[in-house]
Amino acid sequence: MLLLLLSFFAAPEYAHSIRLDGDIILGGLFPVHSRGDRGTPCGELKKEKGIHRLEAMMFAIDLINKDPELLPNITLGARILDTCSRDTYALEQSLTFVQALIERDGSDVRCANGDPPIFTKPDKIVGVIGAAASSVSIMVANILRLFKIPQISYASTAPELSDNTRYDFFSRVVPPDSYQAQAMMDIVTAMEWNYVSTLASEGNYGESGVEAFIQISRETGGVCIAQSLKIPREPRPGEFDKIIRRLLETSNARAIIMFANEDDIRRVLDAAKRNNQTGHFLWVGSDSWGSKISPVIGQERVAEGAITILPKRASVDAFDRYFRSRSLSNNRRNVWFAEFWEENFNCKLGMHGKRPGSLKKCTGLEKVGRDSSYEQEGKVQFVMDAVYAMAHALHRMHRELCYGYAGLCPRMANNIDGKELLSHIRAVSFNGSAGTPVVFNENGDAPGRYDIFQYQITNKSIAEYRVIGSWTNKLHLKVEAMQWRTGDPSLPASICSIPCRAGERKKVVKGVPCCWHCERCEGYHFQASEFTCELCPYEMRPDINRTGCVPIPIIKLEWHSPWAIIPVFISMLGIIATSFVIVTFVRYNDTPIVRASGREMSYVLLTGIFLCYAITFLMIATPDVGVCSFRRIFLGLGMCFSYAALLTKTNRIHRIFEQGKKSVTAPRFISPASQLVITFSLISVQLLGVFVWFAVDPPHTVVDYGEQRTQDPLAARGVLKCDISDLSLICSLGYSILLMVTCTVYAIKTRGVPETFNEAKPIGFTMYTTCIIWLAFIPIFFGTSQSAERMYIQTTTLTISLSLSASVSLGMLYMPKVYIILFHPEQNVPKRKRSFKLKEHRAGSRNQKSSQKIKKKK
């Protein structure tokens, strides 16, 4: 056993390649070691991403060489190099692959004895498997294409590598990040996130992945990038804390889209933990995170809930059996296996071991999976698929060039045309090591098939990745299977601005379409779209949510309204009183008082008073064509009847008084018939004006939406009314007011007539009072034209003014007469009889007083 251990270190200490003999040699590039610190090309060993993957290549070659159907009688060999996870170092190493194609000029070189030098013929590489990192693949691809060497990568996903004009000899068995970016965008959309930040490792993989994601977000819209940060290749101390602080500057963007290598992922999570941001960020990781354990070890809580993506894969059971059987004795072909052994079992292989310190010594009898943990690395399947794709392409080429020939024919043995091999690679189609189909498109890309994982911590505090969905050109996500740190089943938010409520429009922040301020649609505006408010039609108002318009309610003056009850009550009293006076006058029609007041004119005047009271009911009734017609007719007719009769009376008194000053001859047209003719002539002018009004503008109803168009739309009402404007109303009443003013003038002129004209002064008082009423009416009526209660105030004011005018006329002109007729009938006799009765009454009084004096003297 000691000899076996020592034999591992008989080779140079820093062996950097594996060589397997064969008829056809394939190159291999694997990140066996991590990137070294400053000045050192290589760092620590990568057990999974390095050793597992290169062992997968050798295992696949072993299987192919044993397969009698695939490349029969042809042995595949390999030359496997370590890229040390650094593109520049990988470029230097990959020059090994093209050495056989470079002619060396030895003319100026001589050996010590003067003989020309003999160069060792390098292996001719027909195709390369690798590399892992996109930045490394890009570097190597630029060299390999010059020498027409096809390259198949098992892990490089940068979209840049899909450019067939620049990387025409590059193919890959994993889908490019453009698919991955689309899948991640679909996840973000499904989670209803619209404000995210991106974080990328410097290099082609991270930068191109983020660029693809940002490009998709621009094309599809709906997702905004709050910040796009980059992790330097050589981060300075405190760099990751600075990144966390910058991400917190846009704290609403909780979702972080990460295209970063696993080392950077681990350090970002560690910085979030140090800054007490556990549970704040919602990580969405690319396939570089996938379902790996190394980035989350020791920081499970800060990584909890992370959503990661990984090309759809399956574990290759045959490889598990193969790798568990590897030992120091049967795996001497792997020059890095001893280093892996020390790392895996935490021991030291003798004095030449590479692990310093006083560790236990390795026995060589340790077993993978028994004395150490083992889980197949995620890209093993793709490494094997890449090797098989190259083998199937060579098999197709052999069948075409060497049909029926056992082994390599001269056409393939001397020189394998890389361009022809590439065409066969692009044409292969087979089921890979995990049973999934392996095909390439015209750019050498594999189809996009991904599993979606979430890192969850169960109730037993066990952290694990769980499959929550898949993506194959379309996202299939099991939202119910997702689990969050808070325990809340609802999806966490990563939005710049909360959604606006109904009736609010979005005012977008300039340059950031996912950030907005919510502005409520004010007044009579409604939310027409997500970003605009529009004015409702004039006859409509916004609904309660301001998402549409509804008709404005239509109202009218109701009978039960206080604005109607008071005028109606006054009108009822007035109608009863007027009817009582009319009945009294009719019954005592031939009595002196009735006759002296001018029966004919009194009935005309009482008719006008009755109409003034009755118009109240028309003004309050529900407007329709009939009601509006009667309003036009009777609105000024009642007053016209009243003041035409009073004007005729006062004019008659004035003419009689003025004529008496000049002569004893009675003036003309003072008979009752003449008075009626004059009165109805005056009334006919009013009726004529109404009929002209009917002809010019037929009566109709209208809904006035402006009268009660309040600032609060909910209080707005449409008023159903007759189409009678304020001007029309004044014109209708104007003639009656003119009669009233003229009558007042005559009342003033006749105020000094003898008492024999006993109606002059009551008429005068009536007209003075009426003028006061209408002078008060005008400012009230027109001063409330802008009030929301305009309809009620104006209707009530008009009807009460008409009723008060009628009441003044009724009270001052007829109530005293009725009082005498009913309670002092002795005064309702002809004047001569009344004088005789008065003398008798006075004589009787004197005789009674004399008798009383005589009795006192006695």
Side-chain angles (χ1 to χ4, degrees), residues 289-339:
W289 185 336
S291 58
K292 295 188 180 78
I293 299 299
S294 57
V296 296
I297 289 178
Q299 40 208 20
E300 290 81 2
R301 289 293 175 184
V302 73
E304 184 180 3
I307 300 172
T308 61
I309 189 170
L310 193 64
K312 191 176 284 291
R313 62 182 177 85
S315 181
V316 182
D317 295 336
F319 177 79
D320 288 340
R321 293 191 295 271
Y322 162 81
F323 195 79
R324 285 192 176 102
S325 68
R326 298 297 88 192
S327 66
L328 294 173
S329 59
N330 63 14
N331 199 22
R332 297 180 62 185
R333 62 183 180 178
N334 185 346
V335 297
W336 297 289
F337 198 69
E339 189 178 353

Side-chain angles (χ1 to χ4, degrees), residues 245-302:
R245 286 194 297 270
R246 287 194 59 187
L247 290 174
L248 288 173
E249 291 175 3
T250 51
S251 58
N252 283 351
R254 295 178 60 195
I256 311 299
I257 310 302
M258 297 184 70
F259 282 86
N261 61 60
E262 61 181 278
D263 294 333
D264 288 342
I265 293 169
R266 177 173 49 78
R267 287 183 282 188
V268 167
L269 295 176
D270 187 46
K273 183 179 178 181
R274 282 197 307 273
N275 286 271
N276 298 319
Q277 296 303 319
T278 299
H280 175 75
F281 294 111
L282 306 169
W283 312 106
V284 180
S286 62
D287 62 344
S288 61
W289 185 336
S291 58
K292 295 188 180 78
I293 299 299
S294 57
V296 296
I297 289 178
Q299 40 208 20
E300 290 81 2
R301 289 293 175 184
V302 73

Side-chain angles (χ1 to χ4, degrees), residues 413-425:
N414 297 330
N415 183 30
I416 294 179
D417 185 358
K419 196 165 186 178
E420 188 175 355
L421 177 61
L422 176 66
S423 65
H424 288 292
I425 290 174

Side-chain angles (χ1 to χ4, degrees), residues 84 250 348 689 800:
C84 290
T250 51
K348 184 177 181 180
I800 289 179

